[in-house]
């Protein structure tokens, strides 16, 4: 069982109905709140409606039961869209000419199907964090908790997981199928939005496929290091160290370039390390989900922000920007810096802000910042930690205001770092695979330039073109350019507590420059040396080659179907019996990850491992009914793969077979060897 908890494809119908309502609402808003072309309104409406829906679910999920939390926002969104259409005074609310875009929708479905084939054959990034978030959010834990029962929420960009949660709650899907389908759905919408950007700016047929092709395939050119002299690569072996999962290759850098990337859940045909990238992974490899949603909103803002009508449009843009922070706070923050940075530079130069809709855009940015402070997610929780602290005094208590958190959770605002940032020395370009590559080491600098790819060499002309267009009225191009330069320079001068994560800023910079370069190529009025145009085309081809190779590798996974990592049919069967069926306030204990994923109830930390001295380990390694009840646990989940590894004496003295213990759910394999079992402890007394 991969797809549905009840095995019936008709279970998806309620989710499809909600998505159609969301799409209709988005179409109405795109038609009446923004100045969009006919060919843009239907696809932009889908992206806009979905983004607003995610934000509303995050809002209403705090107070409503899961069924209402995932369905009522769609109805509310449609009511708001109908009011906007009515107040516009238009003779007809929707233009049938917008439907002439239907061939694009067919292409979009093909893209969805392709990424779904890849996703169901891979279990990359199916770690318990992603599947757990989808499961608990689908079961109504919104915003998701960090630990069961604590006030502190999980500081994470969980906007994408709300889409997966809707598929579990309304579509009857299992966690892994909801994860794969939500990724594929957003991936297809993202590429359709990219095609609209290409059509708007390039104005030729090739723009409709060039921009989405770059979004999907663009990466660095690490593989080109192989054409350098062998002596250089030998020097690189002593200066470049592989980081993270890449270190598992356990070979010198020169040999690693042509070696398989050792990663769990990959395709049958291994990824080759030389075609991967630690700064800009191609979107064909976006199997974790949040980055796809971030790119979708990035393109949506690109299409919407220069086409605001009035204050209502600015309000909608503010919510879209707030949803961006919920999807990926780093790229949202970078855009905000670019927005206000561009406005400041323009004002200093021109002594005014007289650009079309720029003031409304700034107002939307300010409003979104206010929403972001309270909506949940990373920025909200970082602010709460900074003000109140989680262990030790926060800012308010340090100032003598007597306000502090009562949460016994590690982490404090009193630190030599500022929100996890500190100065970097030596200055470096950061790759998630290769670590900081020093600007003062010629070898590391050359490796960093190949990691970035040749598009970076064209940034002076991209910047000049974008600034000229911005001063002429298309101010968003100036914003994107300012944000790109900030995203590129910040990681050079500052390091982050999880330093590999700061490469996301460089990724966003390279994505913006990569998408702007073909717009420069297409502008025949822009003056630059004649040889640069074919050189730029060649640079884009080289930067897309890695993504093409990765896409080809992933085709080896299309003929297989894999559940989440370390899950099998027994896990699917037990999930059908217990997901969403336990009491909302029940305390559940069981193996980390799988218990949360299969039941929809958070059992321990949602990310990482509990500390070694945490009581969780005792409940797994030496469980006893008395201690479980002492800590107020209502259910205990048994996976035979874990349970049968315990000492027989520990199992015998656990008393989990006492008469008061009731089997809530249970499944066995055909050989009656492996099993899954959820035990109900509520009838047992202390």
């Amino acid at each position: 069982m991969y797809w549905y908890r009840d095995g019936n494809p008709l279970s998806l119908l309620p989710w499809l109905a909600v998505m159609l309502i969301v799409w209709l609402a988005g179409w109405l808003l795109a038609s009446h709140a923004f100045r969009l072309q006919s060919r843009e309104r239907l696809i932009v409406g889908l992206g806009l409606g979905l983004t607003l829906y995610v934000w509303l679910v995050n809002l209403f999920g705090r107070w409503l039961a899961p069924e209402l939390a995932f369905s009522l926002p769609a109805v509310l969104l449609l009511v708001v869209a109908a009011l906007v259409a009515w107040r516009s005074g238009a003779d007809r609310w929707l233009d049938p000419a917008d439907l002439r875009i239907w061939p694009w929708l067919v292409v979009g479905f093909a893209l969805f199907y392709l990424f779904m084939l890849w996703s169901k054959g891979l279990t990359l990034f199916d770690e318990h964090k992603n599947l757990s978030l989808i499961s608990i959010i689908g079961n109504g834990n919104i915003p998701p908790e960090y630990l069961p029962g604590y006030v502190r929420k999980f500081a994470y960009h969980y906007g994408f997981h709300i889409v997966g949660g809707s598929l579990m709650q309304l579509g009857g899907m299992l966690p892994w199928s909801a994860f794969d389908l939500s990724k594929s759905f957003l991936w297809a919408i993202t590429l359709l939005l990219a095609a609209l950007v290409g059509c708007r700016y390039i104005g030729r047929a090739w723009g409709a496929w060039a921009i989405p092709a770059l979004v999907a395939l663009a990466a660095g050119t690490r593989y080109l290091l192989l054409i350098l002299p062998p002596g250089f690569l030998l020097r690189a072996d002593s200066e470049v160290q592989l980081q993270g999962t890449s270190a598992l290759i356990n070979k010198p850098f020169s040999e690693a370039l042509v070696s398989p990337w050792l990663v769990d859940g990959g395709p049958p045909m291994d990824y080759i390390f030389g075609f991967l990238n630690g700064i800009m992974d191609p979107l064909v490899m976006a199997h974790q989900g949040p980055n796809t949603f971030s790119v979708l909103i990035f393109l949506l803002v690109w299409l919407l922000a220069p086409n605001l009508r009035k204050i209502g449009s600015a309000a909608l843009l503010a919510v879209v920007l707030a949803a961006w922070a919920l999807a990926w706070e780093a790229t949202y923050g970078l855009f905000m810096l670019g927005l206000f940075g561009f406005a400041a530079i323009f004002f200093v130069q021109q002594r005014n802000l007289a650009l079309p809709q720029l003031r409304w855009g700034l107002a939307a940015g300010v409003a979104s910042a206010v929403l972001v402070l309270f909506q949940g997610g990373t920025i909200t929780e970082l602010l709460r930690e900074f003000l109140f602290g989680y262990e030790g005094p926060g800012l308010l208590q340090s100032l003598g205001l007597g306000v502090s958190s009562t949460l016994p959770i590690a982490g404090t605002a009193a630190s030599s770092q500022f929100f996890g940032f500190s100065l970097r020395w030596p200055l470096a370009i950061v790759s998630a695979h290769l670590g900081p590559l020093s600007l003062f080491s010629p070898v590391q600098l050359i490796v960093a330039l190949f990691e970035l790819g040749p598009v970076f060499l064209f940034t002076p002309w991209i910047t000049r073109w974008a600034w000229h267009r911005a001063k002429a009225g298309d101010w968003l191009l100036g914003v994107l350019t300012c944000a790109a330069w900030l995203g590129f320079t910040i990681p050079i001068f500052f390091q982050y507590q999880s330093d590999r994560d700061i490469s996301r800023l460089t990724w966003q910079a390279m994505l913006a420059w990569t998408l702007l370069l073909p717009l420069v190529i297409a502008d025949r009025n822009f003056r630059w040396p004649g040889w640069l145009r074919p050189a730029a085309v060649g640079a884009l081809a080289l930067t897309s080659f890695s993504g093409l190779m990765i896409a080809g590798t992933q085709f080896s996974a299309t003929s297989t179907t894999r559940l989440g990592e370390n899950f099998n049919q027994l896990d699917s069967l037990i999930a059908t019996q217990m997901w969403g069926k336990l009491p909302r306030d029940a305390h559940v204990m069981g193996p980390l990850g799988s218990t949360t994923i299969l039941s929809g109830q958070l059992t321990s930390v949602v990310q990482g491992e509990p500390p070694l001295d945490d009581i969780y380990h005792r409940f797994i390694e030496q469980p006893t009914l008395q201690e479980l009840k002492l800590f107020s646990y209502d259910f205990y989940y048994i996976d035979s793969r874990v349970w049968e590894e315990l000492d027989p004496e520990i199992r015998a003295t656990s008393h989990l077979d006492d008469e008061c213990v009731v089997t809530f759910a249970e499944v066995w394999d055909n050989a009656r060897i492996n099993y899954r079992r959820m035990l109900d402890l509520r009838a047992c007394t202390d």
Side-chain angles (χ1 to χ4, degrees):
M1 292 178 63
Y2 167 81
W3 290 103
Y4 304 99
R5 294 194 299 277
D6 63 0
N8 186 358
L10 296 179
S11 300
L12 192 61
L13 289 179
W15 182 83
L16 289 174
V18 166
M19 285 300 106
L20 285 174
I21 294 172
V22 166
W23 193 352
L24 177 60
W27 186 12
L28 284 167
L29 292 172
S31 300
H32 299 282
F34 301 93
R35 296 185 178 91
L36 299 175
Q37 301 174 29
S38 176
R39 68 184 175 195
E40 296 175 341
R41 289 193 285 259
L42 193 61
I43 294 173
V44 168
L46 177 56
L48 175 61
L50 182 63
T51 303
L52 297 174
Y53 169 77
V54 165
W55 190 84
L56 288 172
V57 170
N58 179 64
L59 176 66
F60 286 102
R62 303 155 199 264
W63 308 294
L64 300 179
E67 300 87 346
L68 283 176
F70 283 99
S71 55
L72 185 61
V75 178
L76 177 62
L77 190 59
L78 183 59
V79 171
V80 171
L83 288 174
V84 170
W86 174 66
R87 287 178 60 87
S88 71
D91 293 335
R92 53 185 180 185
W93 286 11
L94 295 173
D95 188 351
D98 296 353
L99 298 174
R100 289 182 296 188
I101 203 73
W102 68 265
W104 290 46
L105 302 181
V106 174
V107 173
F109 181 80
L111 292 170
F112 161 79
Y113 182 71
L114 172 62
F115 201 81
M116 190 69 206
L117 287 177
W118 287 338
S119 296
K120 73 181 186 65
L122 301 169
T123 55
L124 288 171
F125 314 117
D126 279 19
E127 75 273 17
H128 77 261
K129 175 186 64 180
N130 279 324
L131 294 181
S132 293
L133 277 172
I134 286 174
S135 184
I136 64 174
I137 286 174
N139 200 30
N141 193 334
I142 305 173
E145 297 171 305
Y146 175 72
L147 280 171
Y150 286 107
V151 177
R152 180 187 180 185
K153 302 299 182 180
F154 187 34
Y156 195 68
H157 35 261
Y158 59 85
F160 158 78
H161 303 86
I162 291 177
V163 182
S166 72
L167 282 161
M168 289 201 71
Q169 179 59 232
L170 300 177
M173 303 194 87
L174 288 159
W176 32 85
S177 57
F179 185 35
D180 292 341
L181 196 148
S182 55
K183 287 185 292 185
S184 306
F185 183 46
L186 295 179
W187 195 77
I189 298 173
T190 299
L191 295 189
L192 289 177
L193 291 172
L196 293 179
V197 170
C199 281
R200 177 185 290 184
Y201 281 89
I202 294 176
R204 302 183 186 92
W206 63 269
W209 60 262
I211 300 301
L214 288 171
V215 169
L217 301 175
T221 51
R222 182 187 297 170
Y223 67 93
L224 287 179
L225 287 166
L226 293 169
I227 68 175
L228 297 184
F232 174 85
L233 293 178
L234 290 176
R235 288 186 60 188
D237 287 344
S238 61
E239 296 194 34
V240 178
Q241 303 298 320
L242 274 59
Q243 306 285 322
T245 56
S246 301
L248 298 176
I249 297 176
N250 198 27
K251 291 181 180 180
F253 179 67
S254 59
E255 297 179 30
L257 288 174
V258 293
S259 299
W261 184 46
L262 304 177
V263 60
D264 293 334
M269 183 187 299
D270 291 322
Y271 295 114
I272 300 301
F273 186 67
F275 293 118
L276 302 177
N277 197 262
I279 293 176
M280 187 180 179
D281 281 332
L283 210 67
V284 293
M285 202 180 176
H287 294 289
Q288 60 269 55
N291 54 340
T292 303
F293 198 18
S294 175
V295 177
L296 185 155
I297 299 176
F298 165 67
L299 295 169
L300 188 64
V301 170
W302 193 342
L303 291 163
L304 292 178
N307 294 283
L308 304 176
R309 285 187 184 272
K310 43 193 172 182
I311 188 171
S313 307
L316 291 172
L317 181 61
V319 176
V320 170
L321 290 172
W324 196 355
L326 205 61
W328 206 310
E329 68 287 336
T331 50
Y332 163 78
L334 193 59
F335 178 83
M336 293 290 287
L337 289 174
L339 174 63
F340 289 98
F342 167 78
I345 294 171
F346 187 85
F347 183 80
V348 168
Q349 287 190 351
Q350 307 295 327
R351 297 299 176 184
N352 62 63
L353 294 175
L355 289 174
Q357 288 89 43
L358 176 58
R359 292 180 181 178
W360 284 124
L362 292 169
V366 172
S368 75
V370 175
L371 295 175
V372 165
L373 295 179
F374 303 99
Q375 68 182 6
T378 303
I379 296 177
T380 301
E381 295 308 314
L382 285 177
L383 178 66
R384 184 179 298 173
E385 181 177 1
F386 179 70
L387 293 176
F388 303 109
Y390 286 128
E391 187 179 79
L395 176 64
L396 295 182
Q397 190 174 14
S398 299
L399 294 175
L401 299 180
V403 181
S404 66
S405 169
T406 59
L407 302 183
I409 301 173
T412 175
S415 172
S416 60
Q417 299 179 337
F418 183 73
F419 285 104
F421 288 92
S422 59
L423 291 174
R424 181 188 303 282
W425 188 261
L427 305 182
I429 295 171
V430 181
S431 165
H433 294 170
L434 308 177
L437 298 168
S438 174
L439 300 186
F440 304 111
S441 164
V443 171
Q444 292 188 26
L445 179 58
I446 291 173
V447 171
L449 291 175
F450 278 82
E451 194 83 350
L452 290 169
V455 168
F456 175 71
L457 303 176
F458 294 85
T459 52
W461 294 278
I462 295 172
T463 303
R464 185 159 61 92
W465 174 85
W467 191 256
H468 288 165
R469 290 289 299 266
K471 290 196 296 183
D474 197 347
W475 54 269
L476 193 71
L477 295 177
V479 171
L480 297 183
T481 305
C482 285
W485 279 111
L486 287 168
F488 180 75
T489 55
I490 287 173
I492 292 177
F493 291 94
F494 295 92
Q495 61 185 3
Y496 188 58
Q497 57 190 7
S498 177
D499 206 25
R500 69 190 308 273
D501 290 345
I502 206 171
S503 62
R504 295 170 181 170
L505 300 181
T506 316
W507 163 74
Q508 182 65 24
M510 292 306 304
L511 176 64
W513 284 328
T514 300
L515 299 185
L516 288 171
L517 183 54
L519 310 188
V520 180
I521 294 171
D523 189 349
R524 293 292 177 176
N525 295 320
F526 180 64
R527 295 190 176 186
W528 59 344
W531 61 271
L532 280 176
R533 183 168 278 108
V537 173
L540 293 173
L542 290 173
T543 204
S544 300
F545 184 70
S546 290
L548 195 62
M549 295 300 294
I550 289 171
T553 299
Q554 292 181 163
F555 273 98
S556 65
T558 56
S559 61
T560 60
T561 297
R562 300 165 66 180
L563 309 185
E565 190 71 24
N566 297 321
F567 289 106
N568 58 35
Q569 293 297 322
L570 287 181
D571 300 296
S572 292
L573 291 170
I574 196 70
T576 65
Q577 295 185 22
M578 66 181 186
W579 189 89
K581 297 178 181 178
L582 303 179
R584 291 285 306 280
D585 58 351
H587 293 168
V588 184
M589 175 53 65
L592 185 67
S594 62
T595 309
T596 297
I597 292 165
L598 300 175
S599 69
Q601 302 279 140
L602 183 60
T603 57
S604 185
V605 291
V606 74
Q607 181 180 20
E609 297 283 340
L612 292 177
D613 59 350
D614 193 278
I615 194 66
Y616 163 83
H617 297 288
R618 180 172 179 83
F619 288 146
I620 299 301
E621 297 166 5
Q622 292 182 307
T624 65
L625 178 60
Q626 181 180 7
E627 284 196 334
L628 287 166
K629 293 302 298 180
L630 181 64
F631 283 83
S632 302
Y633 282 101
D634 304 304
F635 293 87
Y636 190 83
Y637 179 65
I638 292 178
D639 183 327
S640 60
R641 294 171 296 186
V642 177
W643 183 254
E644 297 298 332
E645 290 295 318
L646 297 179
D647 186 278
E649 184 176 349
I650 292 177
R651 299 200 302 268
T653 58
S654 68
H655 295 286
L656 290 175
D657 56 356
D658 285 4
E659 290 185 3
C660 64
V661 178
V662 178
T663 300
F664 182 85
E666 183 180 54
V667 294
W668 290 78
D669 63 9
N670 292 333
R672 303 289 294 181
I673 296 175
N674 298 300
Y675 57 89
R676 309 287 186 269
R677 182 183 298 142
M678 179 63 84
L679 300 178
D680 186 346
L681 315 180
R682 289 175 295 177
C684 302
T685 60
D686 295 340

